[in-house]
Amino acid sequence: MSEPIIEMIGVNKWYGDFQALKNINFTVHEGDRIVVCGPSGSGKSTMIRTLNYLEAHQEGTIRVDGTEMHAKMKNIGQVRINTGMVFQHFNLFPHMTILQNLMAGPMWVRKQSVAEAKETAMKYLERVRIPEQADKYPGQLSGGQQQRVAIARSLCMNPKVMLFDEPTSALDPEMVSEVLDVMVELAKDGMTMVCVTHEMGFAKAVADRVVFMDAGEIVEENEPHSFFDNPQNARTQKFLGQILQH
Amino acid sequence: MLYPDTVVPDNAVHKPKIMGLMLVAAVVFFTLLGLNDTILGEFMRPVIGEPKDSGFFGNFATGLVVGIIFVINIVLIGFIKFRYQVIIVWLQLLFLFLAFFDSFGLKYEFIQSKIWFMISQGVFTTLYISAISITLASIVAIIGAIAKLSSNGFAFAIASFYTSFFRGLPLLMQVYLIYIGLPQLGYVIDAVPAGILALTLCYGAYMTEIFRAGIQSIDKGQWEASRSMGFGFGLTMRRIILPQAMPLIIPPTGNQFIAMLKDSSLVSVIGVWELMFLARTLGNKDFRHMEMLITAALIYWCLSMCLELIQSRIERHYRTQSH
């Protein structure tokens, strides 16, 4: 098996006295599609945010694309370029048009020319199926459209792995599927993905592995079929019972 | 405007009782004011005879007429639309204001002979000192705000010391300290640069707080998104944070500019030929202080109004852009 693209070994993190991550061991290989789920406050968002060092961990080792993450690292920008991140609240740049949002990264970081950046932007905008919105501002788009733009914005950087931090949690119910469709397509194209989500249908459809977290630890990790049909841990059973009963 | 309720209370000018009370109050007020020795008493001459000898009757008759005109005026204005109410009340107040100044017995030829020099020299100097100072102060403010938000102890300490000192001292004292103090250290400084330096440092301190608040108001998600795309600090600040903070920073900065326009009068004490300085010196020679001071006051006022207009335009521009 090839070198893992993400590796967490014995990671611990505290907020003051509160331990947010407890001895996390977790590996992602190229092409893996991993869904992380768990009750709110279980540390899943914290975990995914440590992967591009938006949050710092205190103990253990996190390696992304061969680079070890620590507070004094010089090439954090390079690591972050390679790990596209999609946020719960989209975090588009509201003062820039959709096209400018997408061109910013390629132009300012990848140093592409305007023409190249525009080509890249339109390519991914078509991929998320909203090229006609290119000249609008984020505030003029629906939540689902904004989140698709946010995905396209990350893809424009040509990342090696995509991190999704509850991408559909802030959306109205009727808009969830348009975002999930884009993510499913992305998975089919072979993108490496780590996805924090409560969308169990998505997990069943595309995940290679499902990771269940509770109270800061990884309680159970399994391929989706066994995870849903035959959960081992009592906490997993309780969680699945709660979210699948309706 | 406040957010109006859909239920509207009766307009006060439609209530006879309130208007009657107001009429009584107005008549009492104007009677006690004793208007028979003014130009109004002069108008009343056919009714009250020689105004000077009319005594209480003269005062009462004049007060009654003025009070009635006053209340009729209010009732009539109460019936028209908001927009016209504003215009008419403005014009009436302006008229009263100018009439008040006129009652000082000003010599208008004197004003006429000096006003072009006041504008070409004084307004010009006032404007360019203010404009240069506000520009430099904005640069100081950006640096100060970033320093105040930084986790570097040195930067924070220096920035907070700076804002504390320059906000804590009267501007007039800063002007003196820089103009008289710096030469003690061996740096002889001209009056104009000294004035600009004092205004820059003082307003830079105030505006540091404005810029800091503007930067802090931007959602931290914007920082995270920028970081996750590999943007460095400078790029994030320049292209993402400051452009979004601008609509919040510009209105109070406009206020500061208007305040600075007036505070620039303080540099007159070190002999800069701006509006205030000219108003004092031009009036001195002929003992016509009032003429020059009132002229300068009106010029300051006009300048401020122009700036307010420009400011509201800019605010509207940013408000429409954010949709």
Side-chain angles (χ1 to χ4, degrees):
Chain A
M1 203 172 245
S2 64
E3 187 77 348
I5 194 158
I6 291 173
E7 213 174 357
M8 298 178 85
I9 304 163
V11 172
N12 286 305
K13 175 175 176 59
W14 289 266
Y15 290 113
D17 290 335
F18 175 74
Q19 188 165 8
L21 296 178
K22 294 175 192 161
N23 190 29
I24 300 288
N25 292 290
F26 176 65
T27 316
V28 181
H29 287 90
E30 207 173 313
D32 280 359
R33 294 177 295 271
I34 290 165
V35 165
V36 182
C37 61
S40 68
S42 61
K44 50 198 193 307
S45 276
T46 305
M47 185 189 87
I48 201 166
R49 286 159 60 86
T50 60
L51 294 181
N52 62 356
Y53 218 64
L54 287 180
E55 302 276 355
H57 58 288
Q58 278 100 32
E59 278 176 14
T61 308
I62 300 178
R63 245 181 254 122
V64 175
D65 197 21
T67 310
E68 188 171 335
M69 313 282 267
H70 58 88
K72 303 282 175 210
M73 61 194 297
K74 293 277 181 272
N75 57 343
I76 181 66
Q78 199 55 44
V79 175
R80 283 175 177 162
I81 292 171
N82 288 330
T83 51
M85 181 114 185
V86 176
F87 299 89
Q88 181 177 1
H89 295 288
F90 331 134
N91 295 349
L92 294 175
F93 305 131
H95 59 301
M96 293 155 64
T97 65
I98 301 307
L99 193 61
Q100 287 167 339
N101 264 278
L102 266 65
M103 286 165 67
M107 275 169 66
W108 301 342
V109 179
R110 294 277 191 213
K111 304 291 176 201
Q112 290 181 4
S113 70
V114 177
E116 283 174 306
K118 190 167 180 184
E119 199 182 322
T120 314
M122 287 315 292
K123 183 174 102 186
Y124 287 108
L125 215 45
E126 266 157 40
R127 198 151 155 198
V128 298
R129 293 191 290 274
I130 35 177
E132 72 281 1
Q133 311 283 9
D135 293 321
K136 288 196 180 158
Y137 284 89
Q140 297 169 299
L141 269 58
S142 73
Q145 289 172 325
Q146 288 191 52
Q147 192 60 295
R148 284 189 278 156
V149 171
I151 293 172
R153 181 175 69 173
S154 287
L155 291 174
C156 281
M157 302 297 286
N158 198 17
K160 293 185 179 169
V161 52
M162 287 285 286
L163 309 175
F164 293 86
D165 186 6
E166 304 204 29
T168 56
S169 300
L171 296 176
D172 288 334
E174 76 271 21
M175 293 171 182
V176 169
S177 67
E178 61 185 80
V179 172
L180 290 179
D181 288 347
V182 168
M183 289 166 65
V184 170
E185 262 173 53
L186 215 58
K188 277 184 192 149
D189 291 347
M191 176 59 83
T192 313
M193 298 162 73
V194 180
C195 190
V196 173
T197 184
H198 295 290
E199 297 298 330
M200 291 304 130
F202 173 78
K204 278 180 195 165
V206 304
D208 307 309
R209 262 184 301 148
V210 181
V211 174
F212 175 70
M213 288 183 74
D214 190 19
E217 5 177 41
I218 291 181
V219 174
E220 190 164 345
E221 184 174 351
N222 215 332
E223 50 96 15
H225 188 68
S226 327
F227 180 84
F228 288 109
D229 297 342
N230 190 18
Q232 301 298 308
N233 191 293
R235 283 192 273 180
T236 318
Q237 288 162 5
K238 184 171 164 234
F239 176 75
L240 288 176
Q242 278 165 344
I243 64 165
L244 294 178
Q245 69 189 188
H246 51 100
Chain B
M1 239 192 282
L2 300 173
Y3 184 61
D5 198 345
T6 40
V7 178
V8 186
D10 265 346
N11 204 332
V13 302
H14 298 165
K15 290 179 182 164
K17 221 190 258 173
I18 293 181
M19 284 296 105
L21 274 175
M22 184 177 253
L23 179 64
V24 172
V27 170
V28 170
F29 176 75
F30 288 119
T31 302
L32 291 179
L33 212 55
L35 294 167
N36 65 359
D37 53 352
T38 66
I39 193 165
L40 297 167
E42 220 36 63
F43 284 131
M44 292 291 285
R45 186 182 282 271
V47 183
I48 61 174
E50 175 62 33
K52 281 202 177 67
D53 307 329
S54 60
F56 177 78
F57 170 70
N59 274 335
F60 175 72
T62 317
L64 185 67
V65 171
V66 175
I68 289 173
I69 294 175
F70 175 73
V71 170
I72 289 177
N73 179 47
I74 288 183
V75 171
L76 287 181
I77 292 174
F79 276 102
I80 56 180
K81 277 188 188 152
F82 177 84
R83 203 183 140 83
Y84 299 111
Q85 279 179 336
V86 172
I87 294 173
I88 289 177
V89 172
W90 250 87
L91 289 176
Q92 288 184 349
L93 288 174
L94 186 68
F95 173 77
L96 288 178
F97 202 63
L98 294 176
F100 174 68
F101 280 148
D102 186 56
S103 70
F104 291 3
L106 302 178
K107 203 175 161 201
Y108 292 105
E109 301 86 69
F110 183 73
I111 295 179
Q112 223 166 27
S113 69
K114 303 287 186 193
I115 191 162
W116 287 117
F117 184 60
M118 277 184 105
I119 291 175
S120 63
Q121 170 69 40
V123 171
F124 177 74
T125 310
T126 292
L127 277 179
Y128 96 72
I129 288 184
S130 306
I132 294 178
S133 301
I134 201 86
T135 311
L136 295 177
S138 302
I139 296 169
V140 170
I142 291 179
I143 298 170
I146 292 173
K148 267 202 123 168
L149 292 170
S150 97
S151 51
N152 183 318
F154 290 105
F156 178 83
I158 292 169
S160 52
F161 187 87
Y162 159 70
T163 52
S164 162
F165 184 78
F166 282 93
R167 290 206 302 175
L169 250 60
L171 177 54
L172 183 58
M173 194 177 282
Q174 293 174 29
V175 173
Y176 276 130
L177 282 181
I178 289 172
Y179 189 56
I180 304 170
L182 281 184
Q184 310 261 338
L185 303 174
Y187 301 102
V188 178
I189 186 165
D190 277 345
V192 170
I196 290 176
L197 187 59
L199 287 170
T200 299
L201 289 174
C202 181
Y203 276 81
Y206 282 106
M207 285 166 58
T208 293
E209 296 300 318
I210 293 173
F211 275 69
R212 182 188 55 75
I215 291 170
Q216 267 185 320
S217 69
I218 304 302
D219 181 40
K220 73 179 173 54
Q222 295 290 310
W223 286 99
E224 290 181 351
S226 307
R227 267 176 214 161
S228 76
M229 289 171 73
F231 298 173
F233 174 80
L235 187 61
T236 306
M237 203 67 190
R238 214 170 57 244
R239 307 303 281 266
I240 307 298
I241 303 299
L242 280 180
Q244 292 185 60
M246 272 305 148
L248 296 150
I249 288 173
I250 281 182
T253 300
N255 269 339
Q256 294 287 311
F257 188 54
I258 292 170
M260 180 185 272
L261 188 81
K262 290 170 291 166
D263 275 353
S264 69
S265 63
L266 290 174
V267 305
S268 67
V269 298
I270 55 175
V272 178
W273 281 36
E274 46 69 74
L275 200 46
M276 185 68 200
F277 182 84
L278 291 182
R280 279 191 331 182
T281 49
L282 290 178
N284 258 344
K285 214 165 30 178
D286 303 75
F287 294 104
R288 290 257 163 226
H289 301 285
M290 227 40 220
E291 275 85 350
M292 289 294 95
L293 286 181
I294 289 174
T295 309
L298 291 179
I299 293 178
Y300 272 119
W301 190 20
C302 287
L303 288 176
S304 302
M305 280 197 293
C306 291
L307 289 176
E308 269 172 49
L309 215 67
I310 295 171
Q311 188 193 356
S312 69
R313 279 277 167 85
I314 296 176
E315 273 180 49
R316 208 177 321 152
H317 169 78
Y318 275 110
R319 216 175 307 146
T320 47
Q321 205 186 42
S322 65
H323 284 299

